[in-house]
Short mmCIF file of all heavy atoms in Angstrom, two decimals:
data_model
loop_
_atom_site.label_atom_id
_atom_site.label_comp_id
_atom_site.label_asym_id
_atom_site.label_seq_id
_atom_site.Cartn_x
_atom_site.Cartn_y
_atom_site.Cartn_z
N MET L 9 74.34 43.22 97.80
CA MET L 9 75.53 42.45 98.06
C MET L 9 76.31 42.25 96.77
O MET L 9 75.76 41.83 95.77
CB MET L 9 75.15 41.11 98.68
CG MET L 9 76.32 40.16 98.78
SD MET L 9 75.87 38.59 99.48
CE MET L 9 76.67 38.74 101.03
N VAL L 10 77.60 42.58 96.79
CA VAL L 10 78.48 42.41 95.64
C VAL L 10 78.87 40.95 95.52
O VAL L 10 79.36 40.35 96.48
CB VAL L 10 79.73 43.29 95.77
CG1 VAL L 10 80.67 43.04 94.61
CG2 VAL L 10 79.35 44.75 95.86
N LYS L 11 78.65 40.39 94.35
CA LYS L 11 78.98 38.98 94.14
C LYS L 11 80.22 38.80 93.28
O LYS L 11 80.82 37.73 93.28
CB LYS L 11 77.81 38.26 93.50
CG LYS L 11 76.62 38.18 94.42
CD LYS L 11 75.57 37.28 93.85
CE LYS L 11 74.44 37.19 94.86
NZ LYS L 11 73.64 36.02 94.68
N ALA L 12 80.61 39.86 92.54
CA ALA L 12 81.77 39.72 91.66
C ALA L 12 82.30 41.09 91.27
O ALA L 12 81.58 42.08 91.28
CB ALA L 12 81.41 38.94 90.41
N PHE L 13 83.57 41.12 90.95
CA PHE L 13 84.23 42.30 90.37
C PHE L 13 84.84 41.89 89.05
O PHE L 13 85.36 40.77 88.93
CB PHE L 13 85.36 42.80 91.27
CG PHE L 13 84.90 43.49 92.51
CD1 PHE L 13 84.90 42.83 93.73
CD2 PHE L 13 84.46 44.80 92.47
CE1 PHE L 13 84.47 43.46 94.88
CE2 PHE L 13 84.02 45.44 93.61
CZ PHE L 13 84.04 44.77 94.82
N ILE L 14 84.80 42.77 88.09
CA ILE L 14 85.45 42.52 86.81
C ILE L 14 86.53 43.56 86.64
O ILE L 14 86.26 44.77 86.67
CB ILE L 14 84.45 42.60 85.64
CG1 ILE L 14 83.38 41.53 85.80
CG2 ILE L 14 85.18 42.47 84.31
CD1 ILE L 14 82.28 41.60 84.75
N PHE L 15 87.76 43.11 86.46
CA PHE L 15 88.89 44.00 86.22
C PHE L 15 89.28 43.89 84.76
O PHE L 15 89.43 42.79 84.23
CB PHE L 15 90.08 43.63 87.11
CG PHE L 15 89.82 43.85 88.56
CD1 PHE L 15 89.42 42.81 89.38
CD2 PHE L 15 89.98 45.11 89.12
CE1 PHE L 15 89.17 43.01 90.72
CE2 PHE L 15 89.73 45.32 90.46
CZ PHE L 15 89.32 44.28 91.27
N ASP L 16 89.44 45.02 84.11
CA ASP L 16 89.78 45.05 82.68
C ASP L 16 91.16 45.68 82.52
O ASP L 16 91.29 46.87 82.30
CB ASP L 16 88.73 45.85 81.92
CG ASP L 16 89.07 45.99 80.45
OD1 ASP L 16 89.74 45.09 79.91
OD2 ASP L 16 88.67 46.99 79.85
N PHE L 17 92.20 44.86 82.61
CA PHE L 17 93.56 45.37 82.49
C PHE L 17 94.12 45.24 81.08
O PHE L 17 95.18 45.77 80.80
CB PHE L 17 94.50 44.65 83.47
CG PHE L 17 94.20 44.95 84.90
CD1 PHE L 17 93.71 43.97 85.73
CD2 PHE L 17 94.39 46.23 85.41
CE1 PHE L 17 93.43 44.25 87.05
CE2 PHE L 17 94.11 46.52 86.73
CZ PHE L 17 93.62 45.52 87.56
N ASP L 18 93.45 44.54 80.22
CA ASP L 18 93.99 44.35 78.88
C ASP L 18 93.15 44.97 77.78
O ASP L 18 93.44 44.81 76.61
CB ASP L 18 94.21 42.87 78.60
CG ASP L 18 92.92 42.06 78.66
OD1 ASP L 18 91.87 42.65 78.92
OD2 ASP L 18 92.99 40.84 78.46
N GLY L 19 92.12 45.72 78.14
CA GLY L 19 91.35 46.46 77.15
C GLY L 19 90.33 45.65 76.38
O GLY L 19 89.84 46.11 75.36
N LEU L 20 90.01 44.46 76.82
CA LEU L 20 89.03 43.67 76.09
C LEU L 20 87.61 44.18 76.28
O LEU L 20 86.77 44.05 75.41
CB LEU L 20 89.11 42.20 76.51
CG LEU L 20 90.39 41.48 76.09
CD1 LEU L 20 90.40 40.06 76.65
CD2 LEU L 20 90.53 41.45 74.58
N ILE L 21 87.32 44.74 77.44
CA ILE L 21 85.97 45.24 77.71
C ILE L 21 85.84 46.69 77.28
O ILE L 21 84.88 47.07 76.61
CB ILE L 21 85.62 45.07 79.20
CG1 ILE L 21 85.65 43.59 79.58
CG2 ILE L 21 84.26 45.68 79.52
CD1 ILE L 21 85.51 43.32 81.06
N VAL L 22 86.78 47.52 77.65
CA VAL L 22 86.75 48.95 77.31
C VAL L 22 88.10 49.35 76.73
O VAL L 22 89.14 49.07 77.33
CB VAL L 22 86.45 49.81 78.56
CG1 VAL L 22 86.50 51.28 78.22
CG2 VAL L 22 85.11 49.46 79.15
N ASP L 23 88.07 49.98 75.57
CA ASP L 23 89.31 50.45 74.95
C ASP L 23 89.70 51.79 75.57
O ASP L 23 89.08 52.81 75.28
CB ASP L 23 89.12 50.60 73.45
CG ASP L 23 90.34 51.22 72.77
OD1 ASP L 23 91.44 51.18 73.36
OD2 ASP L 23 90.20 51.73 71.65
N THR L 24 90.71 51.79 76.41
CA THR L 24 91.19 53.03 77.01
C THR L 24 92.46 53.54 76.35
O THR L 24 92.83 54.70 76.52
CB THR L 24 91.47 52.83 78.52
OG1 THR L 24 92.39 51.76 78.68
CG2 THR L 24 90.18 52.53 79.26
N GLU L 25 93.14 52.69 75.58
CA GLU L 25 94.39 53.09 74.95
C GLU L 25 94.19 54.16 73.88
O GLU L 25 94.99 55.08 73.75
CB GLU L 25 95.11 51.88 74.35
CG GLU L 25 95.59 50.88 75.37
CD GLU L 25 96.63 51.43 76.32
OE1 GLU L 25 97.31 52.43 75.98
OE2 GLU L 25 96.78 50.86 77.41
N THR L 26 93.14 54.04 73.10
CA THR L 26 92.90 55.00 72.02
C THR L 26 92.65 56.41 72.56
O THR L 26 93.29 57.37 72.10
CB THR L 26 91.75 54.53 71.11
OG1 THR L 26 92.10 53.25 70.58
CG2 THR L 26 91.51 55.51 69.97
N PRO L 27 91.75 56.59 73.53
CA PRO L 27 91.57 57.95 74.07
C PRO L 27 92.83 58.50 74.73
O PRO L 27 93.11 59.69 74.62
CB PRO L 27 90.44 57.79 75.10
CG PRO L 27 89.75 56.53 74.75
CD PRO L 27 90.75 55.67 74.07
N TRP L 28 93.60 57.64 75.40
CA TRP L 28 94.86 58.09 76.01
C TRP L 28 95.82 58.57 74.93
O TRP L 28 96.47 59.60 75.07
CB TRP L 28 95.52 56.97 76.80
CG TRP L 28 95.10 56.91 78.22
CD1 TRP L 28 94.31 55.96 78.79
CD2 TRP L 28 95.41 57.84 79.26
NE1 TRP L 28 94.12 56.25 80.12
CE2 TRP L 28 94.79 57.40 80.43
CE3 TRP L 28 96.16 59.01 79.30
CZ2 TRP L 28 94.89 58.08 81.64
CZ3 TRP L 28 96.26 59.68 80.51
CH2 TRP L 28 95.63 59.22 81.65
N TYR L 29 95.91 57.83 73.82
CA TYR L 29 96.80 58.24 72.72
C TYR L 29 96.37 59.59 72.17
O TYR L 29 97.20 60.49 71.98
CB TYR L 29 96.81 57.19 71.61
CG TYR L 29 97.49 57.69 70.36
CD1 TYR L 29 98.86 57.94 70.36
CD2 TYR L 29 96.78 57.95 69.21
CE1 TYR L 29 99.49 58.44 69.22
CE2 TYR L 29 97.40 58.43 68.07
CZ TYR L 29 98.76 58.67 68.09
OH TYR L 29 99.38 59.16 66.97
N TYR L 30 95.08 59.76 71.89
CA TYR L 30 94.60 61.04 71.34
C TYR L 30 94.88 62.20 72.29
O TYR L 30 95.27 63.29 71.86
CB TYR L 30 93.11 60.97 71.01
CG TYR L 30 92.77 60.08 69.85
CD1 TYR L 30 91.59 59.36 69.83
CD2 TYR L 30 93.63 59.96 68.76
CE1 TYR L 30 91.26 58.54 68.76
CE2 TYR L 30 93.31 59.14 67.70
CZ TYR L 30 92.13 58.44 67.70
OH TYR L 30 91.81 57.63 66.64
N ALA L 31 94.70 61.98 73.58
CA ALA L 31 94.95 63.04 74.56
C ALA L 31 96.43 63.42 74.57
O ALA L 31 96.77 64.61 74.53
CB ALA L 31 94.51 62.60 75.95
N PHE L 32 97.31 62.43 74.64
CA PHE L 32 98.74 62.72 74.63
C PHE L 32 99.18 63.33 73.31
O PHE L 32 99.99 64.26 73.27
CB PHE L 32 99.56 61.45 74.91
CG PHE L 32 99.77 61.19 76.36
CD1 PHE L 32 98.99 60.29 77.05
CD2 PHE L 32 100.77 61.86 77.06
CE1 PHE L 32 99.18 60.05 78.39
CE2 PHE L 32 100.98 61.63 78.40
CZ PHE L 32 100.18 60.72 79.08
N ARG L 33 98.64 62.83 72.19
CA ARG L 33 98.99 63.38 70.89
C ARG L 33 98.64 64.86 70.81
O ARG L 33 99.42 65.68 70.31
CB ARG L 33 98.27 62.60 69.79
CG ARG L 33 98.67 63.04 68.38
CD ARG L 33 97.72 62.54 67.37
NE ARG L 33 96.38 63.12 67.64
CZ ARG L 33 95.29 62.74 67.03
NH1 ARG L 33 95.31 61.80 66.12
NH2 ARG L 33 94.13 63.32 67.32
N ASP L 34 97.47 65.22 71.33
CA ASP L 34 97.04 66.62 71.31
C ASP L 34 97.95 67.49 72.18
O ASP L 34 98.31 68.61 71.80
CB ASP L 34 95.60 66.75 71.77
CG ASP L 34 94.61 66.15 70.78
OD1 ASP L 34 95.01 65.83 69.64
OD2 ASP L 34 93.43 65.97 71.17
N ILE L 35 98.33 66.99 73.33
CA ILE L 35 99.24 67.73 74.22
C ILE L 35 100.59 67.91 73.54
O ILE L 35 101.18 68.99 73.58
CB ILE L 35 99.39 67.02 75.57
CG1 ILE L 35 98.07 67.09 76.34
CG2 ILE L 35 100.54 67.61 76.39
CD1 ILE L 35 98.02 66.18 77.56
N TYR L 36 101.10 66.86 72.93
CA TYR L 36 102.37 66.96 72.21
C TYR L 36 102.28 68.01 71.11
O TYR L 36 103.19 68.83 70.95
CB TYR L 36 102.74 65.60 71.60
CG TYR L 36 103.50 64.68 72.52
CD1 TYR L 36 103.04 64.35 73.80
CD2 TYR L 36 104.68 64.10 72.10
CE1 TYR L 36 103.73 63.50 74.62
CE2 TYR L 36 105.39 63.23 72.91
CZ TYR L 36 104.91 62.94 74.17
OH TYR L 36 105.61 62.08 74.97
N GLU L 37 101.19 67.97 70.33
CA GLU L 37 101.02 68.93 69.24
C GLU L 37 100.98 70.37 69.75
O GLU L 37 101.51 71.27 69.09
CB GLU L 37 99.75 68.62 68.44
CG GLU L 37 99.88 67.41 67.56
CD GLU L 37 98.61 67.10 66.78
OE1 GLU L 37 97.61 67.83 66.93
OE2 GLU L 37 98.62 66.10 66.05
N GLU L 38 100.38 70.58 70.91
CA GLU L 38 100.34 71.93 71.50
C GLU L 38 101.75 72.45 71.78
O GLU L 38 101.97 73.66 71.81
CB GLU L 38 99.53 71.93 72.79
CG GLU L 38 98.04 71.77 72.58
CD GLU L 38 97.27 71.66 73.89
OE1 GLU L 38 97.85 71.95 74.96
OE2 GLU L 38 96.10 71.27 73.85
N HIS L 39 102.68 71.54 71.98
CA HIS L 39 104.07 71.91 72.26
C HIS L 39 104.97 71.75 71.04
O HIS L 39 106.19 71.84 71.14
CB HIS L 39 104.61 71.07 73.42
CG HIS L 39 103.99 71.43 74.73
ND1 HIS L 39 102.81 70.88 75.16
CD2 HIS L 39 104.38 72.29 75.69
CE1 HIS L 39 102.50 71.38 76.34
NE2 HIS L 39 103.43 72.24 76.68
N GLY L 40 104.37 71.45 69.88
CA GLY L 40 105.14 71.34 68.65
C GLY L 40 105.95 70.07 68.54
O GLY L 40 106.95 70.02 67.82
N VAL L 41 105.54 69.03 69.23
CA VAL L 41 106.25 67.75 69.19
C VAL L 41 105.29 66.71 68.63
O VAL L 41 104.12 66.66 69.00
CB VAL L 41 106.72 67.33 70.61
CG1 VAL L 41 107.42 65.98 70.58
CG2 VAL L 41 107.62 68.39 71.21
N GLU L 42 105.81 65.86 67.74
CA GLU L 42 104.97 64.83 67.15
C GLU L 42 105.02 63.56 67.99
O GLU L 42 106.07 63.14 68.45
CB GLU L 42 105.46 64.50 65.74
CG GLU L 42 104.61 63.48 65.03
CD GLU L 42 105.10 63.19 63.63
OE1 GLU L 42 105.92 63.96 63.10
OE2 GLU L 42 104.66 62.18 63.07
N LEU L 43 103.86 62.95 68.19
CA LEU L 43 103.78 61.67 68.88
C LEU L 43 103.16 60.67 67.92
O LEU L 43 101.95 60.60 67.76
CB LEU L 43 102.92 61.77 70.15
CG LEU L 43 102.69 60.46 70.91
CD1 LEU L 43 104.01 59.86 71.39
CD2 LEU L 43 101.75 60.67 72.08
N GLY L 44 104.02 59.91 67.27
CA GLY L 44 103.55 58.92 66.32
C GLY L 44 102.98 57.69 67.01
O GLY L 44 103.35 57.36 68.14
N LEU L 45 102.10 57.02 66.32
CA LEU L 45 101.49 55.82 66.87
C LEU L 45 102.53 54.73 67.11
O LEU L 45 102.42 53.96 68.06
CB LEU L 45 100.39 55.32 65.93
CG LEU L 45 99.46 54.25 66.45
CD1 LEU L 45 98.81 54.68 67.77
CD2 LEU L 45 98.40 53.94 65.43
N ASP L 46 103.56 54.68 66.27
CA ASP L 46 104.61 53.69 66.45
C ASP L 46 105.35 53.89 67.77
O ASP L 46 105.69 52.94 68.46
CB ASP L 46 105.59 53.71 65.28
CG ASP L 46 106.21 55.08 65.07
OD1 ASP L 46 105.57 56.10 65.41
OD2 ASP L 46 107.33 55.14 64.55
N LEU L 47 105.57 55.14 68.15
CA LEU L 47 106.22 55.44 69.42
C LEU L 47 105.28 55.16 70.58
O LEU L 47 105.67 54.53 71.58
CB LEU L 47 106.67 56.90 69.44
CG LEU L 47 107.50 57.36 70.62
CD1 LEU L 47 108.78 56.54 70.75
CD2 LEU L 47 107.84 58.83 70.48
N TRP L 48 104.04 55.60 70.46
CA TRP L 48 103.07 55.38 71.53
C TRP L 48 102.85 53.89 71.81
O TRP L 48 102.69 53.47 72.95
CB TRP L 48 101.74 56.04 71.18
CG TRP L 48 100.68 55.76 72.17
CD1 TRP L 48 99.66 54.85 72.07
CD2 TRP L 48 100.54 56.36 73.46
NE1 TRP L 48 98.89 54.87 73.21
CE2 TRP L 48 99.42 55.78 74.08
CE3 TRP L 48 101.25 57.33 74.15
CZ2 TRP L 48 98.99 56.14 75.35
CZ3 TRP L 48 100.83 57.69 75.42
CH2 TRP L 48 99.72 57.10 76.00
N SER L 49 102.85 53.08 70.76
CA SER L 49 102.57 51.66 70.93
C SER L 49 103.61 50.95 71.79
O SER L 49 103.35 49.87 72.31
CB SER L 49 102.46 50.96 69.57
OG SER L 49 103.70 50.99 68.90
N LYS L 50 104.77 51.58 72.00
CA LYS L 50 105.79 50.97 72.86
C LYS L 50 105.37 50.93 74.32
O LYS L 50 105.92 50.16 75.09
CB LYS L 50 107.12 51.74 72.75
CG LYS L 50 107.78 51.60 71.41
CD LYS L 50 109.07 52.37 71.39
CE LYS L 50 109.76 52.23 70.04
NZ LYS L 50 111.05 52.91 70.03
N ASN L 51 104.41 51.75 74.72
CA ASN L 51 104.00 51.72 76.13
C ASN L 51 102.65 51.03 76.35
O ASN L 51 102.22 50.89 77.48
CB ASN L 51 103.99 53.14 76.73
CG ASN L 51 102.73 53.90 76.43
OD1 ASN L 51 101.85 53.44 75.72
ND2 ASN L 51 102.62 55.09 76.95
N VAL L 52 102.01 50.59 75.29
CA VAL L 52 100.71 49.94 75.44
C VAL L 52 100.89 48.62 76.18
O VAL L 52 101.67 47.76 75.78
CB VAL L 52 100.04 49.69 74.07
CG1 VAL L 52 98.77 48.87 74.21
CG2 VAL L 52 99.77 51.01 73.39
N GLY L 53 100.20 48.50 77.30
CA GLY L 53 100.26 47.28 78.08
C GLY L 53 101.54 47.12 78.89
O GLY L 53 101.84 46.03 79.35
N THR L 54 102.29 48.21 79.05
CA THR L 54 103.55 48.12 79.80
C THR L 54 103.52 49.08 80.98
O THR L 54 102.52 49.72 81.25
CB THR L 54 104.75 48.49 78.91
OG1 THR L 54 104.68 49.89 78.58
CG2 THR L 54 104.78 47.68 77.63
N SER L 55 104.64 49.19 81.63
CA SER L 55 104.76 50.09 82.78
C SER L 55 105.66 51.28 82.46
O SER L 55 106.39 51.75 83.32
CB SER L 55 105.31 49.31 83.98
OG SER L 55 106.59 48.80 83.67
N PHE L 56 105.63 51.76 81.23
CA PHE L 56 106.41 52.91 80.78
C PHE L 56 107.92 52.68 80.83
O PHE L 56 108.68 53.62 80.85
CB PHE L 56 106.09 54.17 81.60
CG PHE L 56 104.69 54.67 81.45
CD1 PHE L 56 104.00 55.16 82.54
CD2 PHE L 56 104.05 54.69 80.23
CE1 PHE L 56 102.70 55.65 82.43
CE2 PHE L 56 102.76 55.17 80.09
CZ PHE L 56 102.09 55.65 81.20
N GLU L 57 108.36 51.43 80.86
CA GLU L 57 109.81 51.16 80.90
C GLU L 57 110.47 51.46 79.56
O GLU L 57 111.57 51.99 79.52
CB GLU L 57 110.07 49.73 81.33
CG GLU L 57 109.75 49.51 82.79
CD GLU L 57 110.02 48.09 83.24
OE1 GLU L 57 110.80 47.40 82.57
OE2 GLU L 57 109.44 47.69 84.26
N GLU L 58 109.82 51.11 78.47
CA GLU L 58 110.43 51.34 77.15
C GLU L 58 110.16 52.75 76.63
O GLU L 58 111.01 53.36 76.00
CB GLU L 58 109.90 50.31 76.15
CG GLU L 58 110.66 50.35 74.85
CD GLU L 58 110.29 49.21 73.93
OE1 GLU L 58 109.74 48.20 74.39
OE2 GLU L 58 110.57 49.34 72.73
N PHE L 59 108.98 53.28 76.90
CA PHE L 59 108.63 54.63 76.46
C PHE L 59 107.76 55.28 77.53
O PHE L 59 106.70 54.75 77.88
CB PHE L 59 107.87 54.58 75.13
CG PHE L 59 107.28 55.91 74.74
CD1 PHE L 59 108.10 56.95 74.34
CD2 PHE L 59 105.92 56.13 74.81
CE1 PHE L 59 107.56 58.19 73.98
CE2 PHE L 59 105.36 57.35 74.46
CZ PHE L 59 106.19 58.38 74.04
N HIS L 60 108.22 56.40 78.06
CA HIS L 60 107.45 57.12 79.08
C HIS L 60 107.01 58.44 78.45
O HIS L 60 107.85 59.32 78.18
CB HIS L 60 108.32 57.37 80.31
CG HIS L 60 107.54 57.81 81.49
ND1 HIS L 60 106.86 59.01 81.55
CD2 HIS L 60 107.29 57.18 82.66
CE1 HIS L 60 106.26 59.12 82.71
NE2 HIS L 60 106.50 58.01 83.41
N PRO L 61 105.72 58.63 78.19
CA PRO L 61 105.27 59.81 77.44
C PRO L 61 105.57 61.14 78.11
O PRO L 61 105.85 62.13 77.42
CB PRO L 61 103.77 59.59 77.30
CG PRO L 61 103.40 58.60 78.34
CD PRO L 61 104.61 57.77 78.58
N PHE L 62 105.55 61.20 79.44
CA PHE L 62 105.85 62.46 80.13
C PHE L 62 107.33 62.81 80.00
O PHE L 62 107.69 63.94 79.68
CB PHE L 62 105.47 62.38 81.61
CG PHE L 62 104.01 62.16 81.85
CD1 PHE L 62 103.54 60.98 82.37
CD2 PHE L 62 103.08 63.16 81.54
CE1 PHE L 62 102.19 60.78 82.60
CE2 PHE L 62 101.73 62.97 81.77
CZ PHE L 62 101.28 61.78 82.29
N LEU L 63 108.19 61.83 80.25
CA LEU L 63 109.63 62.07 80.17
C LEU L 63 110.07 62.37 78.74
O LEU L 63 110.93 63.20 78.51
CB LEU L 63 110.40 60.87 80.72
CG LEU L 63 110.20 60.59 82.20
CD1 LEU L 63 110.98 59.34 82.62
CD2 LEU L 63 110.61 61.79 83.04
N TYR L 64 109.47 61.67 77.77
CA TYR L 64 109.82 61.90 76.38
C TYR L 64 109.51 63.34 75.96
O TYR L 64 110.32 63.99 75.32
CB TYR L 64 109.08 60.91 75.48
CG TYR L 64 109.45 61.04 74.03
CD1 TYR L 64 110.56 60.37 73.52
CD2 TYR L 64 108.71 61.82 73.16
CE1 TYR L 64 110.92 60.48 72.19
CE2 TYR L 64 109.05 61.93 71.82
CZ TYR L 64 110.15 61.26 71.35
OH TYR L 64 110.51 61.39 70.03
N LEU L 65 108.33 63.83 76.34
CA LEU L 65 107.96 65.20 76.01
C LEU L 65 108.90 66.18 76.69
O LEU L 65 109.36 67.13 76.07
CB LEU L 65 106.52 65.49 76.40
CG LEU L 65 106.01 66.90 76.12
CD1 LEU L 65 106.14 67.25 74.64
CD2 LEU L 65 104.59 67.07 76.59
N GLU L 66 109.20 65.95 77.93
CA GLU L 66 110.12 66.84 78.66
C GLU L 66 111.49 66.87 77.98
O GLU L 66 112.06 67.96 77.78
CB GLU L 66 110.27 66.35 80.10
CG GLU L 66 111.17 67.22 80.94
CD GLU L 66 111.29 66.73 82.37
OE1 GLU L 66 110.66 65.74 82.74
OE2 GLU L 66 112.04 67.37 83.11
N GLN L 67 112.01 65.72 77.59
CA GLN L 67 113.31 65.66 76.91
C GLN L 67 113.25 66.35 75.55
O GLN L 67 114.19 67.03 75.15
CB GLN L 67 113.77 64.22 76.78
CG GLN L 67 114.11 63.59 78.11
CD GLN L 67 114.28 62.09 78.01
OE1 GLN L 67 114.07 61.49 76.95
NE2 GLN L 67 114.64 61.46 79.13
N ALA L 68 112.16 66.15 74.82
CA ALA L 68 112.01 66.77 73.51
C ALA L 68 111.98 68.28 73.62
O ALA L 68 112.56 68.99 72.79
CB ALA L 68 110.75 66.27 72.83
N LEU L 69 111.35 68.82 74.66
CA LEU L 69 111.27 70.26 74.84
C LEU L 69 112.62 70.85 75.29
O LEU L 69 112.94 71.97 74.93
CB LEU L 69 110.19 70.61 75.86
CG LEU L 69 108.76 70.29 75.41
CD1 LEU L 69 107.78 70.54 76.53
CD2 LEU L 69 108.39 71.10 74.17
N GLN L 70 113.40 70.09 76.00
CA GLN L 70 114.73 70.56 76.44
C GLN L 70 115.72 70.61 75.29
O GLN L 70 116.67 71.37 75.33
CB GLN L 70 115.27 69.66 77.55
CG GLN L 70 114.55 69.84 78.86
CD GLN L 70 115.03 68.88 79.92
OE1 GLN L 70 115.88 68.02 79.68
NE2 GLN L 70 114.49 69.01 81.12
N LYS L 71 115.52 69.82 74.25
CA LYS L 71 116.42 69.77 73.09
C LYS L 71 116.25 70.98 72.19
O LYS L 71 117.04 71.18 71.29
CB LYS L 71 116.21 68.49 72.30
CG LYS L 71 116.69 67.27 73.03
CD LYS L 71 116.45 66.03 72.21
CE LYS L 71 116.88 64.79 72.97
NZ LYS L 71 116.61 63.56 72.20
N ARG L 72 115.26 71.76 72.40
CA ARG L 72 115.00 72.92 71.52
C ARG L 72 115.95 74.04 71.80
O ARG L 72 116.44 74.36 72.75
CB ARG L 72 113.58 73.42 71.71
CG ARG L 72 112.61 72.42 71.20
CD ARG L 72 111.24 72.96 71.40
NE ARG L 72 110.32 72.15 70.63
CZ ARG L 72 109.09 72.47 70.45
NH1 ARG L 72 108.60 73.56 70.95
NH2 ARG L 72 108.31 71.71 69.75
#
């Protein structure tokens, strides 16, 4: 019988932001685009309103 659920939305139990950053950074590098930590930090804990990593990469590739 389940007595409790623990939800970790702010990263206090498990750090998921760092692996996500490394994964996106590697994808960006494969396409010759730099993803700085300062830019990535704009979406940490948000809903991609200020910085959306997929759209940013798409826009960066179209500017070439």
Side-chain angles (χ1 to χ4, degrees):
M9 171 181 251
V10 177
K11 294 190 177 201
F13 287 101
I14 298 175
F15 294 97
D16 177 29
F17 293 113
D18 60 0
L20 292 176
I21 298 172
V22 177
D23 174 20
T24 56
E25 294 297 338
T26 301
W28 271 109
Y29 169 68
Y30 291 146
F32 272 100
R33 185 195 62 189
D34 292 348
I35 292 168
Y36 273 53
E37 286 179 0
E38 288 175 13
H39 290 85
V41 179
E42 182 179 346
L43 176 61
L45 192 54
D46 57 332
L47 186 58
W48 175 258
S49 66
K50 292 180 180 183
N51 82 357
V52 174
T54 68
S55 60
F56 295 140
E57 289 180 21
E58 190 171 341
F59 170 71
H60 194 294
F62 297 112
L63 295 178
Y64 183 85
L65 179 58
E66 182 179 358
Q67 292 168 356
L69 294 174
Q70 288 176 357
K71 290 180 183 178
R72 292 180 167 190

